[in-house]
Amino acid sequence: MNGNTRPSPWTTSEAIRTYASGALWTAGLVLVFVVGHGPDQAGWWRIRTDAAGWVFLASALVGGWNFFPKGVRAARTLRLDMNFLMTAAIAGAVLIGEPLEAAAIAFLFSLAELLESSAVVRARHSIDALLRLAPEVATLVAEDGSERTVPASDLRAGERVRVRPGEKVPIDGVVVEGQSGVNQANVTGESVPVAKSVGDPVFASTLNTDGFLEIEATTDAGDTTLHRIARLVREAQSKRSPTEQFVQKFARYYTPAVTAAAVLVMAVPPLLGLGTGLMWFERGLTLLVIACPCALVIATPVTIVSAITSAARHGVLIKGGEYVESLGATCAIAFDKTGTLTLGELEVTDVVPLGDMSGDRLLRLAAAMERRSEHPIAEAIVRYASETGGLREDGWTVEEFRAHPGLGVTATVDGARVAVGTIELLAPADDARRFGDHFDALQRAGRTVVVVSRDGVPLGLIGLADALRPEAPGVLARLRREGVHHQILLTGDQNYAARAIGDAVGVDEVMAELKPEGKVAAVREIVRAHRGAAMVGDGVNDAPALAAADVGIAMGGAGSPATIETADIALMADDLNMLPYARRVSQLARRLVRFNIAFALGIKAILAVGAVGGFVSLIVAVLVGDMGASLAVTLNAMRLARLKPRQAGDPPRGDHVA
Ligand code: ADP
Ligand code: MG
């Protein structure tokens, strides 16, 4: 079903035929009640003299028109699809003079199809509802400072808009004036307003709560983060999950098998002289109706689409059903340290000169090099250097700069080869003893230690500290309660610093001093050992490790388009609390998928036995086995929408199903 462009399913011609069929069927029932059936004659002839019979026939034709053509086409290509099965069942029912049943099948099957398409279409479209949350007009600021109200859809990158308290931000941009708390729930799922001031990014459709903001647009109107989310969700919805593929394969055997059983039921008992041919023919028809795999086939996609959509509405972008299924199943999660379990906002705590270069000069040499790097360590060193005495370069000429991921940076400074980074970068297989006690002392204090060296001679050490994310220990404990029993910390940082963080958050295992390839290998090993694993990290630096996991999860997607693109699941908020929510949605979806499939199969099995035994009529088969089962499966999937992320201040287990 390509539901994106389809209008409301309730007003299509199929829908109208369904209503008409239902009305005629009801009219037929009233007629039967008031005037009764015509004279009792067997077979098709009974209908001829029966007013109600004609009405039922009309109902069957009108409702059946929705699928007769498809059914006939399927029959011609010898494909046993549900349209063919239902067409055959209706034809059979008319043939044996059961117009009421024929009409019931036509009407109820049409109704079931309608309900299914509406459920899927609604789930798909609720992502467009997200786009409708964005405001329609914006207050544009002209060159001369005057204001003009324009349609928000006309805004272009570079234009300035004003947003008053209580108004929604019309476009992605940066604050150029003012400050305010902005509720970003529409984009990130966090309900607590985020403080915004000059230089901070803001997103279309978020709510400006209490201040006045002037914003310079950074995107065109059709290209906002919200649009990107909607686009990715639509793509995700159209991918088939592994279970969906499996069920479709299964249906390819199920339907012919039950159809064959139906033919046998029609033919064999009468040949053996058991009961009348008419009786067995009707039981066989009932089996034909049961052979229709509708509820079974819809069970998975309706649940997965529902999971993806409701997660997106809470700021968790899942880029395909397969990730819902694998995150729901996994009991192992690997975490990157810097920026994931820690805030990634490092601070320089110690500068220890080892030779005759002063601490101040050492710091500025490091800063001169690190200005070219984007690593959090580099940012911290540059920031600290500029805070303590300005960023003079002391006339250094930095040439041949190179960043070595997981190791540090090197360059030629005034003809000498300078390295800033790990010991390994300074000299492979070197050891820390030549730094005296300083190195050990810093490490034992949980610091990340960076060595600055020139031509292989250590000049000094820089110690940095990173703060734990306050929510991290709670989130990991929660995940453990909910079945993630293997939690592993992966980092390029040194053992001590890694262990300090690992102990503080409570992971099971710490794997430190890993280079980027080492992280990939470690993730592969974890995936193998636990038959599947997720990895949470930084979507940019950890992209290879994220790709090596079954599910790569990155945080802070709202601020980083690259993160959204590389991760399998992007948490729009920079908040670990969204992780247990993402897992809960996935876990519930997985359970619902399994339950729904078992339920649909169970119902069919019971009905099939009943049909052969003569306890289940055609009407019951289509009412319960088709419409009822589809409806139950769909309603079940809607439970996902009621799952909400835990918010600050909620009771400890606040994201249970309401
Ligand atoms: P993490 O696994 O914590 O994200 P990385 O793999 O990015 O860490 O880096 C591992 C180690 O490499 C850091 O702890 C640091 O010692 C060193 N390093 C990496 N980049 C730099 C840099 N730009 N400057 C100094 N040291 C660096
Ligand atoms: Mg990192």
Side-chain angles (χ1 to χ4, degrees), residues 299-300 303-308 324-325 328 583-596 637 640 643:
T300 310
T303 310
I304 296 288
V305 164
S306 196
I308 291 175
V324 176
E325 293 188 2
R583 163 130 164 116
R584 272 181 169 248
V585 169
S586 308
Q587 213 176 16
L588 180 59
R590 213 174 88 92
R591 283 199 197 123
L592 289 176
V593 161
R594 293 175 150 208
F595 176 85
N596 278 350
L640 283 159
L643 214 59

PDB file of all heavy atoms in Angstrom, residues 299-300 303-308 324-325 328 583-596 637 640 643:
ATOM      1  N   ALA A 299      -0.676  -8.266  10.542  1.00  0.00           N
ATOM      2  CA  ALA A 299      -0.288  -8.192  11.958  1.00  0.00           C
ATOM      3  C   ALA A 299       1.058  -7.512  12.166  1.00  0.00           C
ATOM      4  O   ALA A 299       1.205  -6.645  13.029  1.00  0.00           O
ATOM      5  CB  ALA A 299      -0.257  -9.596  12.548  1.00  0.00           C
ATOM      6  N   THR A 300       2.046  -7.864  11.365  1.00  0.00           N
ATOM      7  CA  THR A 300       3.380  -7.305  11.571  1.00  0.00           C
ATOM      8  C   THR A 300       3.486  -5.855  11.102  1.00  0.00           C
ATOM      9  O   THR A 300       3.848  -4.987  11.891  1.00  0.00           O
ATOM     10  CB  THR A 300       4.444  -8.182  10.882  1.00  0.00           C
ATOM     11  OG1 THR A 300       4.228  -9.527  11.268  1.00  0.00           O
ATOM     12  CG2 THR A 300       5.834  -7.762  11.270  1.00  0.00           C
ATOM     13  N   THR A 303       1.826  -3.209  13.251  1.00  0.00           N
ATOM     14  CA  THR A 303       2.488  -3.005  14.543  1.00  0.00           C
ATOM     15  C   THR A 303       3.787  -2.224  14.369  1.00  0.00           C
ATOM     16  O   THR A 303       4.068  -1.281  15.113  1.00  0.00           O
ATOM     17  CB  THR A 303       2.802  -4.374  15.187  1.00  0.00           C
ATOM     18  OG1 THR A 303       1.624  -5.168  15.159  1.00  0.00           O
ATOM     19  CG2 THR A 303       3.262  -4.200  16.608  1.00  0.00           C
ATOM     20  N   ILE A 304       4.564  -2.597  13.377  1.00  0.00           N
ATOM     21  CA  ILE A 304       5.866  -1.959  13.176  1.00  0.00           C
ATOM     22  C   ILE A 304       5.686  -0.494  12.770  1.00  0.00           C
ATOM     23  O   ILE A 304       6.363   0.408  13.287  1.00  0.00           O
ATOM     24  CB  ILE A 304       6.665  -2.720  12.094  1.00  0.00           C
ATOM     25  CG1 ILE A 304       6.978  -4.147  12.574  1.00  0.00           C
ATOM     26  CG2 ILE A 304       7.924  -1.978  11.715  1.00  0.00           C
ATOM     27  CD1 ILE A 304       8.012  -4.251  13.657  1.00  0.00           C
ATOM     28  N   VAL A 305       4.748  -0.252  11.860  1.00  0.00           N
ATOM     29  CA  VAL A 305       4.512   1.128  11.426  1.00  0.00           C
ATOM     30  C   VAL A 305       4.054   1.969  12.611  1.00  0.00           C
ATOM     31  O   VAL A 305       4.472   3.104  12.808  1.00  0.00           O
ATOM     32  CB  VAL A 305       3.476   1.162  10.271  1.00  0.00           C
ATOM     33  CG1 VAL A 305       2.923   2.570  10.073  1.00  0.00           C
ATOM     34  CG2 VAL A 305       4.112   0.666   8.990  1.00  0.00           C
ATOM     35  N   SER A 306       3.204   1.369  13.422  1.00  0.00           N
ATOM     36  CA  SER A 306       2.721   2.051  14.602  1.00  0.00           C
ATOM     37  C   SER A 306       3.879   2.372  15.555  1.00  0.00           C
ATOM     38  O   SER A 306       3.953   3.459  16.125  1.00  0.00           O
ATOM     39  CB  SER A 306       1.733   1.085  15.234  1.00  0.00           C
ATOM     40  OG  SER A 306       0.949   1.629  16.127  1.00  0.00           O
ATOM     41  N   ALA A 307       4.795   1.441  15.708  1.00  0.00           N
ATOM     42  CA  ALA A 307       5.954   1.656  16.588  1.00  0.00           C
ATOM     43  C   ALA A 307       6.832   2.778  16.041  1.00  0.00           C
ATOM     44  O   ALA A 307       7.223   3.688  16.780  1.00  0.00           O
ATOM     45  CB  ALA A 307       6.775   0.371  16.712  1.00  0.00           C
ATOM     46  N   ILE A 308       7.126   2.732  14.760  1.00  0.00           N
ATOM     47  CA  ILE A 308       8.013   3.735  14.166  1.00  0.00           C
ATOM     48  C   ILE A 308       7.382   5.123  14.281  1.00  0.00           C
ATOM     49  O   ILE A 308       8.042   6.096  14.632  1.00  0.00           O
ATOM     50  CB  ILE A 308       8.294   3.391  12.685  1.00  0.00           C
ATOM     51  CG1 ILE A 308       9.170   2.135  12.603  1.00  0.00           C
ATOM     52  CG2 ILE A 308       8.962   4.548  11.967  1.00  0.00           C
ATOM     53  CD1 ILE A 308       9.415   1.641  11.191  1.00  0.00           C
ATOM     54  N   VAL A 324      13.531  -1.990  14.856  1.00  0.00           N
ATOM     55  CA  VAL A 324      12.554  -2.185  15.929  1.00  0.00           C
ATOM     56  C   VAL A 324      12.691  -3.613  16.436  1.00  0.00           C
ATOM     57  O   VAL A 324      12.796  -3.855  17.641  1.00  0.00           O
ATOM     58  CB  VAL A 324      11.112  -1.958  15.424  1.00  0.00           C
ATOM     59  CG1 VAL A 324      10.108  -2.268  16.534  1.00  0.00           C
ATOM     60  CG2 VAL A 324      10.928  -0.537  14.910  1.00  0.00           C
ATOM     61  N   GLU A 325      12.729  -4.555  15.495  1.00  0.00           N
ATOM     62  CA  GLU A 325      12.785  -5.950  15.913  1.00  0.00           C
ATOM     63  C   GLU A 325      14.092  -6.270  16.619  1.00  0.00           C
ATOM     64  O   GLU A 325      14.099  -6.947  17.638  1.00  0.00           O
ATOM     65  CB  GLU A 325      12.587  -6.870  14.707  1.00  0.00           C
ATOM     66  CG  GLU A 325      11.178  -6.754  14.155  1.00  0.00           C
ATOM     67  CD  GLU A 325      10.869  -7.786  13.091  1.00  0.00           C
ATOM     68  OE1 GLU A 325      11.740  -8.627  12.810  1.00  0.00           O
ATOM     69  OE2 GLU A 325       9.749  -7.747  12.554  1.00  0.00           O
ATOM     70  N   GLY A 328      14.399  -4.518  20.097  1.00  0.00           N
ATOM     71  CA  GLY A 328      13.473  -5.159  21.030  1.00  0.00           C
ATOM     72  C   GLY A 328      14.003  -6.479  21.541  1.00  0.00           C
ATOM     73  O   GLY A 328      13.690  -6.893  22.652  1.00  0.00           O
ATOM     74  N   ARG A 583      13.897   1.391  23.576  1.00  0.00           N
ATOM     75  CA  ARG A 583      13.935  -0.053  23.743  1.00  0.00           C
ATOM     76  C   ARG A 583      12.552  -0.585  24.119  1.00  0.00           C
ATOM     77  O   ARG A 583      12.141  -1.636  23.669  1.00  0.00           O
ATOM     78  CB  ARG A 583      14.959  -0.412  24.809  1.00  0.00           C
ATOM     79  CG  ARG A 583      14.762  -1.793  25.319  1.00  0.00           C
ATOM     80  CD  ARG A 583      15.990  -2.636  25.333  1.00  0.00           C
ATOM     81  NE  ARG A 583      15.690  -3.770  26.195  1.00  0.00           N
ATOM     82  CZ  ARG A 583      15.640  -5.021  25.775  1.00  0.00           C
ATOM     83  NH1 ARG A 583      15.902  -5.309  24.532  1.00  0.00           N
ATOM     84  NH2 ARG A 583      15.339  -5.986  26.609  1.00  0.00           N
ATOM     85  N   ARG A 584      11.833   0.158  24.967  1.00  0.00           N
ATOM     86  CA  ARG A 584      10.498  -0.282  25.364  1.00  0.00           C
ATOM     87  C   ARG A 584       9.546  -0.346  24.188  1.00  0.00           C
ATOM     88  O   ARG A 584       8.765  -1.277  24.047  1.00  0.00           O
ATOM     89  CB  ARG A 584       9.913   0.680  26.384  1.00  0.00           C
ATOM     90  CG  ARG A 584      10.302   0.295  27.733  1.00  0.00           C
ATOM     91  CD  ARG A 584       9.707   1.222  28.753  1.00  0.00           C
ATOM     92  NE  ARG A 584       9.935   0.600  30.007  1.00  0.00           N
ATOM     93  CZ  ARG A 584       8.971   0.097  30.764  1.00  0.00           C
ATOM     94  NH1 ARG A 584       7.725   0.217  30.396  1.00  0.00           N
ATOM     95  NH2 ARG A 584       9.273  -0.499  31.872  1.00  0.00           N
ATOM     96  N   VAL A 585       9.605   0.688  23.353  1.00  0.00           N
ATOM     97  CA  VAL A 585       8.754   0.690  22.163  1.00  0.00           C
ATOM     98  C   VAL A 585       9.078  -0.541  21.320  1.00  0.00           C
ATOM     99  O   VAL A 585       8.188  -1.267  20.878  1.00  0.00           O
ATOM    100  CB  VAL A 585       8.966   1.971  21.321  1.00  0.00           C
ATOM    101  CG1 VAL A 585       8.299   1.836  19.961  1.00  0.00           C
ATOM    102  CG2 VAL A 585       8.416   3.188  22.044  1.00  0.00           C
ATOM    103  N   SER A 586      10.371  -0.801  21.128  1.00  0.00           N
ATOM    104  CA  SER A 586      10.782  -1.915  20.290  1.00  0.00           C
ATOM    105  C   SER A 586      10.375  -3.246  20.901  1.00  0.00           C
ATOM    106  O   SER A 586       9.911  -4.146  20.214  1.00  0.00           O
ATOM    107  CB  SER A 586      12.295  -1.897  20.097  1.00  0.00           C
ATOM    108  OG  SER A 586      12.704  -0.638  19.643  1.00  0.00           O
ATOM    109  N   GLN A 587      10.563  -3.326  22.218  1.00  0.00           N
ATOM    110  CA  GLN A 587      10.249  -4.566  22.906  1.00  0.00           C
ATOM    111  C   GLN A 587       8.749  -4.846  22.845  1.00  0.00           C
ATOM    112  O   GLN A 587       8.324  -5.957  22.541  1.00  0.00           O
ATOM    113  CB  GLN A 587      10.684  -4.429  24.368  1.00  0.00           C
ATOM    114  CG  GLN A 587      11.154  -5.693  24.983  1.00  0.00           C
ATOM    115  CD  GLN A 587      11.666  -5.456  26.392  1.00  0.00           C
ATOM    116  OE1 GLN A 587      11.399  -4.414  27.007  1.00  0.00           O
ATOM    117  NE2 GLN A 587      12.386  -6.419  26.918  1.00  0.00           N
ATOM    118  N   LEU A 588       7.958  -3.812  23.116  1.00  0.00           N
ATOM    119  CA  LEU A 588       6.507  -3.985  23.066  1.00  0.00           C
ATOM    120  C   LEU A 588       6.083  -4.335  21.642  1.00  0.00           C
ATOM    121  O   LEU A 588       5.252  -5.213  21.429  1.00  0.00           O
ATOM    122  CB  LEU A 588       5.805  -2.710  23.550  1.00  0.00           C
ATOM    123  CG  LEU A 588       4.278  -2.763  23.542  1.00  0.00           C
ATOM    124  CD1 LEU A 588       3.751  -3.885  24.421  1.00  0.00           C
ATOM    125  CD2 LEU A 588       3.675  -1.428  23.992  1.00  0.00           C
ATOM    126  N   ALA A 589       6.674  -3.659  20.663  1.00  0.00           N
ATOM    127  CA  ALA A 589       6.312  -3.933  19.274  1.00  0.00           C
ATOM    128  C   ALA A 589       6.614  -5.387  18.934  1.00  0.00           C
ATOM    129  O   ALA A 589       5.812  -6.070  18.305  1.00  0.00           O
ATOM    130  CB  ALA A 589       7.073  -3.000  18.332  1.00  0.00           C
ATOM    131  N   ARG A 590       7.753  -5.853  19.384  1.00  0.00           N
ATOM    132  CA  ARG A 590       8.136  -7.230  19.096  1.00  0.00           C
ATOM    133  C   ARG A 590       7.166  -8.209  19.741  1.00  0.00           C
ATOM    134  O   ARG A 590       6.748  -9.188  19.142  1.00  0.00           O
ATOM    135  CB  ARG A 590       9.537  -7.477  19.632  1.00  0.00           C
ATOM    136  CG  ARG A 590      10.347  -8.437  18.808  1.00  0.00           C
ATOM    137  CD  ARG A 590      11.743  -8.485  19.342  1.00  0.00           C
ATOM    138  NE  ARG A 590      11.835  -9.493  20.387  1.00  0.00           N
ATOM    139  CZ  ARG A 590      12.183 -10.752  20.150  1.00  0.00           C
ATOM    140  NH1 ARG A 590      12.461 -11.134  18.932  1.00  0.00           N
ATOM    141  NH2 ARG A 590      12.261 -11.619  21.130  1.00  0.00           N
ATOM    142  N   ARG A 591       6.796  -7.907  20.995  1.00  0.00           N
ATOM    143  CA  ARG A 591       5.838  -8.780  21.670  1.00  0.00           C
ATOM    144  C   ARG A 591       4.493  -8.755  20.953  1.00  0.00           C
ATOM    145  O   ARG A 591       3.858  -9.785  20.774  1.00  0.00           O
ATOM    146  CB  ARG A 591       5.630  -8.308  23.113  1.00  0.00           C
ATOM    147  CG  ARG A 591       6.761  -8.692  23.995  1.00  0.00           C
ATOM    148  CD  ARG A 591       6.339  -8.635  25.463  1.00  0.00           C
ATOM    149  NE  ARG A 591       7.528  -8.607  26.272  1.00  0.00           N
ATOM    150  CZ  ARG A 591       7.811  -7.661  27.152  1.00  0.00           C
ATOM    151  NH1 ARG A 591       6.960  -6.670  27.354  1.00  0.00           N
ATOM    152  NH2 ARG A 591       8.924  -7.709  27.833  1.00  0.00           N
ATOM    153  N   LEU A 592       4.061  -7.559  20.568  1.00  0.00           N
ATOM    154  CA  LEU A 592       2.764  -7.439  19.897  1.00  0.00           C
ATOM    155  C   LEU A 592       2.781  -8.186  18.565  1.00  0.00           C
ATOM    156  O   LEU A 592       1.804  -8.826  18.204  1.00  0.00           O
ATOM    157  CB  LEU A 592       2.407  -5.972  19.679  1.00  0.00           C
ATOM    158  CG  LEU A 592       2.036  -5.190  20.941  1.00  0.00           C
ATOM    159  CD1 LEU A 592       1.790  -3.726  20.615  1.00  0.00           C
ATOM    160  CD2 LEU A 592       0.814  -5.787  21.612  1.00  0.00           C
ATOM    161  N   VAL A 593       3.890  -8.080  17.851  1.00  0.00           N
ATOM    162  CA  VAL A 593       3.991  -8.780  16.571  1.00  0.00           C
ATOM    163  C   VAL A 593       3.820 -10.282  16.801  1.00  0.00           C
ATOM    164  O   VAL A 593       3.019 -10.947  16.145  1.00  0.00           O
ATOM    165  CB  VAL A 593       5.354  -8.503  15.898  1.00  0.00           C
ATOM    166  CG1 VAL A 593       5.657  -9.554  14.835  1.00  0.00           C
ATOM    167  CG2 VAL A 593       5.364  -7.115  15.284  1.00  0.00           C
ATOM    168  N   ARG A 594       4.529 -10.791  17.786  1.00  0.00           N
ATOM    169  CA  ARG A 594       4.444 -12.227  18.050  1.00  0.00           C
ATOM    170  C   ARG A 594       3.056 -12.614  18.497  1.00  0.00           C
ATOM    171  O   ARG A 594       2.490 -13.601  18.051  1.00  0.00           O
ATOM    172  CB  ARG A 594       5.431 -12.608  19.150  1.00  0.00           C
ATOM    173  CG  ARG A 594       6.832 -12.448  18.689  1.00  0.00           C
ATOM    174  CD  ARG A 594       7.766 -12.702  19.828  1.00  0.00           C
ATOM    175  NE  ARG A 594       8.999 -13.239  19.306  1.00  0.00           N
ATOM    176  CZ  ARG A 594       9.800 -14.031  19.984  1.00  0.00           C
ATOM    177  NH1 ARG A 594       9.493 -14.387  21.202  1.00  0.00           N
ATOM    178  NH2 ARG A 594      10.908 -14.462  19.448  1.00  0.00           N
ATOM    179  N   PHE A 595       2.518 -11.807  19.418  1.00  0.00           N
ATOM    180  CA  PHE A 595       1.182 -12.116  19.904  1.00  0.00           C
ATOM    181  C   PHE A 595       0.180 -12.065  18.759  1.00  0.00           C
ATOM    182  O   PHE A 595      -0.653 -12.958  18.605  1.00  0.00           O
ATOM    183  CB  PHE A 595       0.768 -11.124  20.999  1.00  0.00           C
ATOM    184  CG  PHE A 595      -0.636 -11.338  21.465  1.00  0.00           C
ATOM    185  CD1 PHE A 595      -0.909 -12.272  22.455  1.00  0.00           C
ATOM    186  CD2 PHE A 595      -1.691 -10.642  20.892  1.00  0.00           C
ATOM    187  CE1 PHE A 595      -2.210 -12.505  22.864  1.00  0.00           C
ATOM    188  CE2 PHE A 595      -2.995 -10.870  21.294  1.00  0.00           C
ATOM    189  CZ  PHE A 595      -3.252 -11.805  22.287  1.00  0.00           C
ATOM    190  N   ASN A 596       0.261 -11.025  17.959  1.00  0.00           N
ATOM    191  CA  ASN A 596      -0.693 -10.852  16.860  1.00  0.00           C
ATOM    192  C   ASN A 596      -0.645 -12.023  15.887  1.00  0.00           C
ATOM    193  O   ASN A 596      -1.686 -12.502  15.439  1.00  0.00           O
ATOM    194  CB  ASN A 596      -0.406  -9.552  16.107  1.00  0.00           C
ATOM    195  CG  ASN A 596      -1.008  -8.346  16.817  1.00  0.00           C
ATOM    196  OD1 ASN A 596      -1.794  -8.502  17.756  1.00  0.00           O
ATOM    197  ND2 ASN A 596      -0.654  -7.165  16.364  1.00  0.00           N
ATOM    198  N   ALA A 637      -2.035  -3.057  18.087  1.00  0.00           N
ATOM    199  CA  ALA A 637      -0.877  -2.271  17.674  1.00  0.00           C
ATOM    200  C   ALA A 637      -0.964  -0.834  18.169  1.00  0.00           C
ATOM    201  O   ALA A 637       0.037  -0.167  18.396  1.00  0.00           O
ATOM    202  CB  ALA A 637      -0.736  -2.296  16.158  1.00  0.00           C
ATOM    203  N   LEU A 640       0.907   0.900  21.232  1.00  0.00           N
ATOM    204  CA  LEU A 640       2.238   1.487  21.163  1.00  0.00           C
ATOM    205  C   LEU A 640       2.196   2.997  21.304  1.00  0.00           C
ATOM    206  O   LEU A 640       3.114   3.613  21.833  1.00  0.00           O
ATOM    207  CB  LEU A 640       2.894   1.116  19.835  1.00  0.00           C
ATOM    208  CG  LEU A 640       3.414  -0.312  19.797  1.00  0.00           C
ATOM    209  CD1 LEU A 640       3.569  -0.789  18.381  1.00  0.00           C
ATOM    210  CD2 LEU A 640       4.736  -0.374  20.539  1.00  0.00           C
ATOM    211  N   LEU A 643       2.629   4.516  24.803  1.00  0.00           N
ATOM    212  CA  LEU A 643       3.913   4.450  25.502  1.00  0.00           C
ATOM    213  C   LEU A 643       4.600   5.809  25.382  1.00  0.00           C
ATOM    214  O   LEU A 643       4.696   6.352  24.289  1.00  0.00           O
ATOM    215  CB  LEU A 643       4.751   3.376  24.826  1.00  0.00           C
ATOM    216  CG  LEU A 643       5.699   2.551  25.659  1.00  0.00           C
ATOM    217  CD1 LEU A 643       4.921   1.831  26.744  1.00  0.00           C
ATOM    218  CD2 LEU A 643       6.368   1.523  24.772  1.00  0.00           C
TER     219      LEU A 643
END
